[in-house]
Amino acid sequence: MDALQNRQRWMSVLAHSHPSELLEHWQPLNLSPTFQRLRPAETGLTQLQGRMGGTGKRFVMGDMTVTRAVIQLASGVYGYSYVSGRDKDHAELCAVIDALLQVSGMEELIHKRVIAPLAASQQARREQRAREIASSRVDFFTLVRGE
């Protein structure tokens, strides 16, 4: 996996994390990096688009609240984040972690203690949801007619 794909993966994990769960993994590290807020966390709306059947014409499904933040570490490394909802602290922490993951020497520690556990938790939730959905699935082609 190249650097761009790695970054996309960890940014996705951070963006989909629950704020309390993220803090649970972040706080034991006792890291307090010095950073400057280039774009303080701000909340806005983005339009969600869809396609009928995944390939048809695009249409607007609705709006979604997002919060974004941009920070710069004292070392000059930039961190970015976009998270759903209005939690400004969550967006800022995700941006700080994004920046720290780009600093050599920090990447392995943060991946091991923050990103990997969050990714595992998110995967477990996806699998649980898939099991719940599968249990209520009806296969209409196997139903027998009342003859």
Side-chain angles (χ1 to χ4, degrees):
M1 203 182 281
D2 68 356
L4 177 62
Q5 290 173 323
N6 277 335
R7 187 164 185 211
Q8 288 172 338
R9 182 178 178 278
W10 81 55
M11 289 185 84
S12 175
V13 169
L14 289 170
H16 291 96
S17 66
H18 293 292
S20 60
E21 191 176 11
L22 178 59
L23 282 172
E24 179 184 314
H25 294 291
W26 171 253
Q27 287 175 334
L29 297 179
N30 290 322
L31 297 175
S32 53
T34 303
F35 64 91
Q36 175 184 0
R37 291 172 183 89
L38 297 181
R39 183 176 297 251
E42 58 188 1
T43 302
L45 291 174
T46 187
Q47 284 190 334
L48 300 176
Q49 296 184 3
R51 291 181 185 266
M52 290 299 287
T55 59
K57 264 183 102 171
R58 288 192 305 179
F59 64 95
V60 176
M61 294 182 356
D63 294 327
M64 177 178 164
T65 306
V66 293
T67 303
R68 67 179 177 181
V70 180
I71 63 100
Q72 182 179 21
L73 295 177
S75 63
V77 177
Y78 294 93
Y80 301 86
S81 75
Y82 282 83
V83 297
S84 63
R86 300 174 177 267
D87 193 334
K88 292 181 178 183
D89 293 333
H90 183 218
E92 187 172 280
L93 179 56
C94 289
V96 169
I97 294 172
D98 173 50
L100 288 173
L101 281 163
Q102 298 174 68
V103 174
S104 65
M106 298 296 295
E107 183 179 4
E108 185 177 342
L109 171 70
I110 295 174
H111 265 289
K112 181 180 175 184
R113 303 281 298 276
V114 178
I115 302 299
L118 287 174
S121 174
Q122 290 170 11
Q123 182 62 30
R125 280 194 299 272
R126 280 191 292 273
E127 290 171 0
Q128 175 62 30
R129 180 73 177 132
R131 283 192 298 275
E132 290 170 2
I133 291 169
S135 70
S136 65
R137 182 177 176 176
V138 177
D139 189 357
F140 290 98
F141 294 107
T142 60
L143 293 177
V144 177
R145 290 186 181 188
E147 296 177 349

